[in-house]
Amino acid sequence: MANQRIDDGLVEVIKGCERLVVLTGAGVSAGSGVPTFRDALEGLWAKYDPMELATPEAFGRDAKLVSEWYDMRRLKVLGCEPNEGHGAIVGMEKLMKERGGMFKLLTQNVDRLHQRAGSEDVVELHGSLLVWRDVENGEEVLCDGKEKLPSYPWVRDGDERDGRLMRPGVVWFGEMLPEWAVMEANEAVSELGEKDVFMSVGTSGVVYPAAGYVDEARCKGAVTVEVNLERTPISDFVDRCLLGKSEEILVELLERVKG
Ligand code: OAD
């Protein structure tokens, strides 16, 4: 079984690595009050049916309902603040860049809390709740205001007959991930080598392609680290499985790497 504590060996590997790739999931934002997806009681998919809300077909059937639900989530995350785990990831990016190393943050999160914490190099694999997109021409609009959208569904410059229907800028089930994001993620993972580090933080590791990155990193010889409240399908084959809250473990890890 993988080591479950931060050990000197891991600290030294991170201190000396040339490349550090961090993949995050909803668990990183749990400490900020953003619900995860698969928590048995509080997770979004325990309360809502993703097929009724998170597919293109659902939007086609009931654009009002889907838009309202995503706007509710948008307003929720705008009312949350980044936590110390987000901050520690910013610290790791700074450390790596100061010493001329490569750092890449791949996130499945759509809440933009990494960016609000100060992360610069973020690849949003599943899009963002704060960006809405014209269904016809793909034009994107940043929606970071704390008031509700003007209408559900949101139709710009006209009414439902001649206006422009806007949709949330997230990836729905059955949709492709943004091409640029997949390319950047693939490149970052494929460049990993021995002595480099891949960290999977706060994700259940069941949604592809993100779930496959840890496997690829391992095949490249990188040291693989998982940080999660509980064991997941990847726990058995990572080099280190650090169990606990990411907002605590990442802070401790950063302190030891800096120390
Ligand atoms: P999940 O809800 O599947 O998993 C969240 C993970 O975070 C679980 O493994 C928890 O144990 C862990 N966790 C919870 N609190 C934590 C904490 N404080 N510190 C560390 N870990 C904690 O969320 P994701 O893995 O992000 O996709 O889900 C992946 C994708 O599935 C999402 O992007 C979303 C969802 O369906 C789409 O909507 C397309």
Side-chain angles (χ1 to χ4, degrees):
M1 187 188 288
N3 193 332
Q4 299 196 354
R5 303 188 52 191
I6 299 173
D7 59 282
D8 291 345
L10 174 61
V11 173
E12 289 310 311
V13 170
I14 297 178
K15 275 184 177 172
C17 70
E18 283 178 17
R19 295 184 170 80
L20 172 58
V21 177
V22 178
L23 168 71
T24 63
V28 170
S29 296
S32 296
V34 180
T36 63
F37 293 93
R38 294 181 179 77
D39 181 85
L41 293 176
E42 297 299 324
L44 287 176
W45 299 154
K47 294 183 177 171
Y48 303 98
D49 179 354
M51 293 304 125
E52 296 297 323
L53 294 162
T55 66
E57 293 76 21
F59 188 69
R61 270 195 309 270
D62 196 341
K64 178 177 185 300
L65 173 78
V66 171
S67 302
E68 194 164 5
W69 188 70
Y70 276 95
D71 200 34
M72 176 189 79
R73 289 181 55 203
R74 184 185 72 86
L75 293 169
K76 167 83 182 167
V77 302
L78 282 171
C80 295
E81 296 300 323
N83 64 55
E84 290 182 323
H86 295 107
I89 293 173
V90 177
M92 287 179 196
E93 177 172 6
K94 283 197 181 127
L95 267 186
M96 288 302 294
K97 289 185 173 169
E98 272 163 21
R99 65 169 196 247
M102 190 283 281
F103 178 91
K104 191 67 83 176
L105 174 56
L106 316 176
T107 188
Q108 299 163 91
N109 296 347
V110 292
D111 55 30
R112 290 251 158 122
L113 288 178
H114 284 303
Q115 289 91 331
R116 282 171 58 199
S119 286
E120 287 175 1
D121 225 340
V122 190
V123 178
E124 288 179 323
L125 290 163
H126 292 171
S128 170
L129 284 171
L130 305 193
V131 172
W132 286 56
R133 196 164 71 229
D134 188 317
V135 168
E136 288 297 320
N137 66 13
E139 187 199 339
E140 293 187 338
V141 178
L142 178 67
C143 302
D144 56 359
K146 291 191 175 177
E147 59 288 337
K148 288 181 179 183
L149 291 176
S151 61
Y152 303 126
W154 182 25
V155 185
R156 288 177 82 209
D157 306 333
D159 58 24
E160 288 201 31
R161 209 165 17 89
D162 58 2
R164 302 189 298 159
L165 179 62
M166 305 296 287
R167 59 158 282 179
V170 298
V171 176
W172 282 325
F173 289 100
E175 289 188 318
M176 305 287 282
L177 273 56
E179 201 177 333
W180 72 269
V182 174
M183 276 172 59
E184 276 206 40
N186 286 346
E187 191 181 306
V189 177
S190 69
E191 282 175 353
L192 289 171
E194 284 174 23
K195 297 190 187 154
D196 291 332
V197 179
F198 180 91
M199 290 179 51
S200 174
V201 187
T203 174
S204 54
V206 295
V207 175
Y208 281 78
Y213 292 144
V214 65
D215 208 14
E216 191 184 340
R218 202 170 60 116
C219 292
K220 295 277 175 186
V223 173
T224 52
V225 183
E226 175 179 41
V227 179
N228 201 302
L229 262 190
E230 55 192 30
R231 296 182 66 78
T232 73
I234 68 167
S235 304
D236 277 335
F237 65 82
V238 289
D239 296 300
R240 305 287 198 290
C241 173
L242 308 174
L243 293 183
K245 294 181 174 179
S246 55
E247 56 271 34
E248 292 170 2
I249 292 180
L250 292 178
V251 171
E252 187 188 337
L253 188 58
L254 178 66
E255 271 170 13
R256 290 194 47 188
V257 170
K258 278 168 129 178

